Amino acid sequence: MITPMAAPKKPGFGLRFLMGLVLIPLGLMLRVLSQIYLEITSEAVLYWQLMGIVTVGHMLLFCVSALALLRFRRSPLAVAAAFRLWIGYGIGAALLVIKDLG
């Protein structure tokens, strides 16, 4: 007899809160570092290290987002992680826009 798969449990409040404490600042940092990378010249001391961090960070951001889209029904934890990363990225973009307005 084939048994149906059990519905995945949504992550609890504590886990979602801890993910927010870690992933939202990580997304914010990625956006700010990418802006710093765009503004410096290739003669800067940490240019190549910053380029590596920004490139790997964006690749991981898009991979987590693709994983969340592919496993939308089966893994609510991946969706929550991608959502919090994008929230941090959006907050970083908004802060940079506000900085440029002043």
Side-chain angles (χ1 to χ4, degrees):
M1 179 175 175
I2 299 175
T3 59
M5 289 179 32
K9 289 177 46 176
K10 287 187 177 181
F13 176 76
L15 182 60
R16 287 184 291 160
F17 182 74
L18 289 175
M19 283 174 43
L21 281 178
V22 172
L23 295 176
I24 290 174
L26 193 64
L28 191 139
M29 179 197 68
L30 183 62
R31 179 61 185 110
V32 170
L33 284 179
S34 63
Q35 187 65 32
I36 291 170
Y37 168 72
L38 291 173
E39 291 177 358
I40 64 174
T41 62
S42 60
E43 290 84 26
V45 176
L46 298 175
Y47 179 79
W48 294 105
Q49 291 86 351
L50 188 59
M51 183 180 78
I53 290 171
V54 169
T55 303
V56 170
H58 278 88
M59 286 174 36
L60 289 174
L61 177 66
F62 292 129
C63 287
V64 166
S65 300
L67 176 75
L69 287 175
L70 292 174
R71 300 188 51 89
F72 180 71
R73 296 278 183 204
R74 290 174 275 165
S75 178
L77 192 62
V79 175
F83 185 67
R84 279 156 180 76
L85 275 170
W86 281 108
I87 286 174
Y89 199 86
I91 291 171
L95 289 175
L96 289 171
V97 167
I98 291 171
K99 176 193 73 106
D100 289 339
L101 289 177

